[in-house]
Amino acid sequence: MRRMVEGVLAALLLLTTAATAGVLEPRDPLLRWLDAEVVPELGERLSRHPDFRHAIIDFMPVADGAPSADASQLHTALQQHIRQRLLGFDGVQLHLDTTQTSCTPPRALDYAIGIEVTRGSGREARITIALLDLQRRVWVSGVSSSWRGQLTHAQARAHEQLMRRGSPGSAAAPFPLGDASALAALLLEQVRCVLPRGVDGAVYFETPDDPGATRVALELRRQLMLTPLFVLSERESDAEWRLRIRMDAAATEAAELGIELVERASSTRQRLASVFIDPRGESTMAPSGVSARRQDVAQSASSLLSPLTVTAVERTGICRNSRGNVCAEVRFGLEDASHLLVFSTRSEVTSLTQCDASGLLRERGEHRFRLQIIRPDSLHRPATGFYVLAIRTRDAALDLHRIVASAPGACGIAADADRGGWLARLEAVLRRHGDAVQWRAIHLDEEARPL
């Protein structure tokens, strides 16, 4: 149970940090104000004053002095930074809003830290942070601080980008279908609430037809085998119950993924759990395999990478001796100076453009890379994949370069090396540096057309 909860929280926190990375940078006057004035004042007051003992604190966006339903990427970045710093004060209890299902009614919130951003001309802005008593609906006197100054370009863009409201997994914020482990954990927690003692009799777990739902079903089955809720049967004829996962395959933005329990004797159905998912979404954790379609990380207002564009070009340079194969040029833009890691895959073999880890730091602006799209000897040609990773920190860049350079086929590594072990190491490094990395990928057919 604890591992499942930690897995869900880790996934949600990773997505949040990836969305706000780069909005607040070291030596930024706004960040210095938060660390020098706002956090010390809030931390001292919330941790020591008797009025806030045992109080649950949340965050909320504010507009014109009143709570607002709209939050921007800038609000989210400010909230995240304050939250992380306040966790260092003993006695401060911050509300954690996740898709984790609780079987008991949630405790009412006591106070909220309000964040208001008021724009002036150009990039001029005033940011006010104050404390709201949610029970009495009044602002707490003496707990308010304001900053006036120029937003950075990233902060101004972030303020223009509204965040979708709602917890991940809700209809307003569907969860990426590719994150099978986190989805299975969410569904299992709901099942535990509905059937805390499980059911009497064996249960047959049906495998859904949809490939995306199948990955979730397999992970859920694995987790169910570690719980005492059900006795799973390998054969439907031996089971008194059927457990099935159903998904609305026609949905394009938010599809409901649900679990039903069907009694064999009466065909009575009971909905045990549901979560809204993005059926188009792949996991944002790692480019963990070759997929025959375009994959893009959900980019924030502080995105480092522009979308990838590809064109077929003349066979010059690296493509000069391609003997009839197509030469493709992939273009993209870097919004800020970043460490750049570029590699391609074909037939599950990796090719890294730079085996030497020096010189990974690149300036902002447009970048172009060429690669050969080799025509196959047979009709069963796998896609050529092209991956771009923009990395904010040198440590993360060196870690990722070391892993990618050890991929099957890369930098002298045998093409038949253990791919599964390499993908596991890559995922672990991406999880560790998730807030410092953004990536995009595109897969091409033999005519250099995006798949």
Side-chain angles (χ1 to χ4, degrees):
M1 168 72 70
R2 180 179 177 182
R3 289 183 179 179
M4 287 189 293
V5 173
E6 290 175 345
V8 174
L9 296 183
L12 296 178
L13 290 175
L14 181 59
L15 291 174
T16 302
T17 53
T20 59
V23 177
L24 299 174
E25 297 287 359
R27 298 184 298 275
D28 179 357
L30 177 55
L31 185 63
R32 290 200 299 267
W33 169 67
L34 292 176
D35 289 340
E37 297 183 29
V38 175
V39 172
E41 179 184 356
L42 281 173
E44 181 73 15
R45 188 75 172 263
L46 296 176
S47 63
R48 296 184 179 276
H49 198 285
D51 287 349
F52 305 109
R53 188 174 295 126
H54 308 304
I56 304 298
I57 313 296
D58 200 3
F59 292 81
M60 67 171 51
V62 174
D64 298 324
S68 172
D70 295 327
S72 69
Q73 293 272 12
L74 180 56
H75 284 93
T76 303
L78 295 169
Q79 170 184 322
Q80 181 189 348
H81 184 82
I82 297 171
R83 177 188 292 276
Q84 290 174 341
R85 295 299 184 269
L86 287 180
L87 290 174
F89 289 83
D90 291 336
V92 178
Q93 302 182 81
L94 300 178
H95 177 246
L96 180 61
D97 183 17
T98 74
T99 51
Q100 174 65 33
T101 302
S102 173
C103 299
T104 58
R107 175 180 166 178
L109 298 174
D110 302 304
Y111 296 89
I113 297 171
I115 301 175
E116 181 170 16
V117 180
T118 305
R119 290 291 297 273
S121 61
R123 289 186 283 116
E124 289 286 339
R126 183 188 69 192
I127 296 177
T128 301
I129 296 178
L131 192 63
L132 175 64
D133 185 331
L134 295 176
Q135 304 303 317
R136 299 171 57 196
R137 307 300 294 177
V138 296
W139 294 102
V140 178
S141 62
V143 189
S144 177
S145 185
S146 293
W147 174 87
R148 291 178 181 270
Q150 286 249 346
L151 299 177
T152 66
H153 288 288
Q155 290 162 3
R157 291 195 303 269
H159 183 252
E160 295 169 358
Q161 181 69 38
L162 292 181
M163 300 287 288
R164 283 192 298 183
R165 300 294 289 167
S167 300
S170 66
F175 213 80
L177 180 58
D179 205 341
S181 180
L183 275 172
L186 295 176
L187 292 168
L188 182 57
E189 287 304 307
Q190 294 183 41
V191 172
R192 285 181 175 276
C193 289
V194 177
L195 296 173
R197 298 183 181 180
V199 296
D200 294 329
V203 177
Y204 175 74
F205 197 172
E206 293 183 353
T207 301
D209 295 329
D210 182 84
T214 297
R215 291 194 295 270
V216 178
L218 292 174
E219 176 60 22
L220 180 59
R221 179 184 175 86
R222 184 190 70 80
Q223 295 185 19
L224 282 171
M225 292 177 68
L226 303 177
T227 74
L229 286 177
F230 304 116
V231 176
L232 297 182
S233 171
E234 294 297 327
R235 296 188 301 181
E236 184 176 3
S237 59
D238 296 337
E240 298 178 43
W241 306 86
R242 283 183 294 140
L243 199 64
R244 64 170 61 158
I245 286 186
R246 307 193 62 155
M247 185 176 74
D248 180 8
T252 58
E253 294 185 357
E256 187 177 14
L257 186 70
I259 299 179
E260 292 181 347
L261 183 67
V262 183
E263 187 176 9
R264 181 181 178 185
S266 64
S267 297
T268 302
R269 301 179 182 181
Q270 180 181 2
R271 175 61 66 94
L272 301 182
S274 70
V275 63
F276 283 91
I277 55 95
D278 181 354
R280 307 161 303 174
E282 294 293 329
S283 172
T284 58
M285 297 299 182
S288 58
V290 176
S291 171
R293 59 174 168 157
R294 181 173 178 145
Q295 303 175 19
D296 286 338
V297 165
Q299 301 294 315
S300 70
S302 61
S303 172
L304 290 176
L305 280 170
S306 71
L308 307 182
T309 60
V310 60
T311 55
V313 295
E314 294 183 5
R315 294 191 296 274
T316 59
I318 192 174
C319 302
R320 181 177 295 116
N321 299 320
S322 60
R323 296 190 299 276
N325 295 318
V326 175
C327 186
E329 182 175 81
V330 182
R331 302 181 183 183
F332 58 88
L334 282 180
E335 298 299 326
D336 293 297
S338 312
H339 301 273
L340 195 62
L341 191 59
V342 175
F343 64 96
S344 60
T345 59
R346 192 177 70 87
S347 300
E348 298 190 344
V349 174
T350 300
S351 176
L352 181 61
T353 61
Q354 184 177 344
C355 290
D356 183 0
S358 63
L360 294 177
L361 185 62
R362 301 296 183 90
E363 295 297 324
R364 64 175 298 178
E366 185 183 60
H367 293 264
R368 304 180 183 186
F369 287 82
R370 289 190 173 190
L371 71 159
Q372 297 183 48
I373 309 299
I374 299 176
R375 295 185 182 277
D377 295 328
S378 69
L379 296 177
H380 303 289
R381 184 201 62 80
T384 296
F386 187 83
Y387 295 87
V388 180
L389 285 77
I391 310 163
R392 296 184 185 278
T393 65
R394 183 173 182 272
D395 290 344
L398 292 177
D399 276 357
L400 282 164
H401 184 275
R402 174 176 52 82
I403 295 298
V404 175
S406 68
C411 302
I413 304 298
D416 59 353
D418 177 19
R419 181 173 176 80
W422 172 72
L423 288 173
R425 295 193 299 274
L426 176 61
E427 182 174 6
V429 172
L430 280 165
R431 286 180 182 274
R432 184 163 67 249
H433 298 294
D435 59 341
V437 183
Q438 291 183 8
W439 68 274
R440 290 187 184 271
I442 193 168
H443 292 85
L444 309 170
D445 66 10
E446 64 183 59
E447 300 299 331
R449 294 171 301 201
L451 292 175

